Amino acid sequence: EEAEEIAILEMGGADRFNLQLIRMLTADRWHVTIIATLGLHHPWRRQFEQVTSDVFVLPAFLRTYTDQANFCSYLLASRQPDVLMVSNSQFGYSVLPLLSSVAARLPRRVAIVDYNHMQEVEWRGGGYPRDGVDSQHLMDVNIVASDNLKQWMVDKGANPDRMRTCYIGVNTTENFPDERVRHQARAKLKIPPDDVVVLFPARLVAQKQPLVFAQAIARVAMRTPMTVLVAGDGPYRRDFVSAIKSTP
């Protein structure tokens, strides 16, 4: 069994990783429990529920922090998993002292881990990896997506002997060049076969720097005609569209 803690089931790289991980685990006969700790709108909830029916969105039925923390304790005690994993959840880190205490009293050992993708120095001194550093004493191991992030966490005080780098990679059985699909997509979008196409697949948020992309692509487009495709949405959409429209 595995209990996996996820902040919000939204479209994005972190949750795509979570979804792929859960698919692999369930295919290998793991049971996965998901605790979503933020918001009520989860665009990818159906995809997660296709691989596990054990999905709990805490704000949907519990209002207070205490009730949510107690419910997590109940799930941990009732499921008695092999692994408890925190992924992109400030709430998850905040209840780790309680959950580690509950885990210590269970008849079977529970490995407590987290997984982090990148530091965000402009948010809470580093974001979730900063929480991972501060909570390392409560976990068996910190798992990170890159050696760069590992070194950043070590510089902030993490013990490197209790850290592992696990690259995400790409599933080449699902993602590979396909000339047929390429021609179909270009025909649908009325893009000539030999025209240059640039794709920006990202949430339109500060972290992804969409305005920097708009400025860069404007400079390149002055020398090389191209079609730019943007696959994403977010709070920067209006500013991004304005930046594109103002491009000479």
Side-chain angles (χ1 to χ4, degrees):
E1 295 182 352
E2 173 161 344
E4 176 155 352
E5 212 291 357
I6 299 172
I8 183 168
L9 312 178
E10 65 177 356
M11 296 181 183
D15 282 286
R16 179 174 175 80
F17 162 77
N18 286 328
L19 182 58
Q20 293 290 79
L21 174 62
I22 294 172
R23 283 173 176 167
M24 293 173 59
L25 290 172
T26 54
D28 202 28
R29 298 185 180 181
W30 284 61
H31 175 77
V32 180
T33 295
I34 299 173
I35 307 173
T37 61
L38 288 179
L40 299 177
H41 178 59
H42 297 268
W44 275 6
R45 179 169 180 171
R46 179 173 297 179
Q47 283 87 334
F48 280 88
E49 289 178 336
Q50 287 175 349
V51 289
T52 175
S53 60
D54 218 16
V55 179
F56 300 92
V57 181
L58 296 187
F61 61 97
L62 296 171
R63 291 183 177 273
T64 70
Y65 177 92
T66 299
D67 287 343
Q68 293 177 4
N70 288 337
F71 183 75
C72 290
S73 297
Y74 159 75
L75 282 182
L76 181 59
S78 63
R79 302 300 190 272
Q80 297 192 24
D82 294 301
V83 180
L84 169 67
M85 176 174 156
V86 179
S87 175
N88 283 23
S89 175
Q90 189 176 354
F91 173 88
Y93 284 110
S94 73
V95 297
L96 268 186
L98 172 63
L99 297 184
S100 63
S101 175
V102 173
R105 300 193 297 271
L106 296 179
R108 59 188 299 178
R109 187 179 182 279
V110 179
I112 302 178
V113 306
D114 68 348
Y115 191 96
N116 276 297
H117 298 259
M118 61 177 292
Q119 67 271 31
E120 297 183 73
V121 295
E122 72 284 354
W123 181 54
R124 298 173 50 245
Y128 300 119
R130 176 78 256 187
D131 294 323
V133 174
D134 295 339
S135 302
Q136 190 181 49
H137 64 289
L138 297 170
M139 295 184 286
D140 293 271
V141 64
N142 297 105
I143 309 173
V144 294
S146 69
D147 287 333
N148 176 273
L149 178 56
K150 178 181 178 180
Q151 187 58 54
W152 183 90
M153 293 175 68
V154 169
D155 291 342
K156 297 300 180 183
N159 181 352
D161 295 333
R162 298 178 59 187
M163 301 185 69
R164 297 292 183 273
T165 300
C166 180
Y167 301 114
I168 295 176
V170 174
N171 186 340
T172 56
T173 64
E174 295 182 358
N175 303 278
F176 55 88
D178 189 321
E179 284 296 316
R180 181 181 59 84
V181 174
R182 178 179 184 272
H183 289 308
Q184 288 177 346
R186 283 177 174 257
K188 182 177 181 179
L189 297 171
K190 298 180 180 180
I191 302 173
D194 297 326
D195 275 18
V196 175
V197 176
V198 176
L199 173 65
F200 184 70
R203 289 175 291 119
L204 301 182
V205 297
Q207 180 193 90
K208 306 302 181 181
Q209 301 191 63
L211 302 185
V212 173
F213 171 76
Q215 295 168 4
I217 210 67
R219 294 184 180 183
V220 176
M222 293 175 65
R223 298 188 297 270
T224 304
M226 63 180 63
T227 298
V228 179
L229 304 178
V230 179
D233 202 351
Y236 274 63
R237 178 173 181 170
R238 180 175 297 178
D239 293 336
F240 181 77
V241 172
S242 297
I244 293 295
K245 288 183 176 180
S246 64
T247 299

